Amino acid sequence: MKTIASFKVDHDKLEKGMYISRIDGDAVTYDIRMKKPNGGDYLNNGALHTFEHLFATYARNSEYTDSVIYVGPMGCRTGFYLILRDNVSSENAIKLVQDSFRFVAEFSGKIPGSERKECGNYLEHDLDGAKAVAEDMLKVLDGYTAEKLKY
Ligand SMILES: [Zn+2]
């Protein structure tokens, strides 16, 4: 089998940030890297899970709702993939992520979709962990530009 594109990125050189991972037709996959790969510090499962619920909720309720194809965590627990249609500019994709992360950082109350009937592991949530990662990433993405989206 062929090595898929995301495995060809040199993960030793990858820093926290936001990158374009691949483009398939009109679908742009963004690599939102929240932890340094193989750095010994990873999102815990609860934080990753809560982050997913909040990030997806915000992005899918944003003005770009019709362009959001997918929001989901990486299995290595170092970040998320966000897949948007290419009618969202790079600048607006960065802004959507910044706005989403601000939403996570400031969130309080009941996590959306966290009832037993709504979720596959409804007890495994960590809101404080998700908020800490969002705050950290808001610093990383502050002033982020489209040029930085290249690996
Ligand atoms: Zn869930």
Side-chain angles (χ1 to χ4, degrees):
M1 286 193 227
K2 282 196 273 182
T3 303
I4 62 176
S6 64
F7 295 158
K8 290 182 183 163
V9 174
D10 185 346
H11 283 67
D12 281 336
K13 292 187 180 147
L14 198 52
E15 299 292 337
K16 288 193 274 189
M18 176 171 168
Y19 309 94
I20 291 176
S21 169
R22 57 183 297 150
I23 299 173
D24 302 274
D26 75 336
V28 183
T29 302
Y30 292 94
D31 169 338
I32 304 167
R33 198 62 66 151
M34 301 162 151
K35 297 286 183 184
K36 171 125 182 90
N38 302 302
D41 173 34
Y42 309 98
L43 277 90
N44 71 58
N45 271 321
L48 194 78
H49 186 200
T50 301
F51 209 105
E52 180 196 24
H53 278 233
L54 294 174
F55 186 7
T57 296
Y58 186 89
R60 292 189 181 283
N61 282 283
S62 72
E63 63 184 294
Y64 303 109
T65 181
D66 292 337
S67 299
V68 176
I69 299 172
Y70 175 77
V71 180
M74 297 175 184
C76 58
R77 296 188 282 117
T78 65
F80 272 72
Y81 285 116
L82 169 67
I83 308 179
L84 298 175
R85 297 208 187 278
D86 66 2
N87 60 356
V88 182
S89 68
S90 293
E91 288 77 11
N92 285 336
I94 293 167
K95 186 174 182 302
L96 173 61
V97 170
Q98 289 167 330
D99 289 348
S100 298
F101 287 14
R102 206 166 292 117
F103 172 75
V104 177
E106 292 169 0
F107 189 83
S108 63
K110 195 175 167 303
I111 298 161
S114 60
E115 292 289 335
R116 186 184 170 104
K117 285 188 183 210
E118 299 170 319
C119 174
N121 193 353
Y122 80 110
L123 293 176
E124 190 175 69
H125 278 284
D126 176 1
L127 178 57
D128 287 340
K131 288 165 72 112
V133 174
E135 275 166 32
D136 181 51
M137 282 305 292
L138 281 169
K139 288 180 214 140
V140 172
L141 297 176
D142 187 39
Y144 217 76
T145 57
E147 293 78 68
K148 292 186 179 174
L149 293 172
K150 270 197 189 169
Y151 277 128

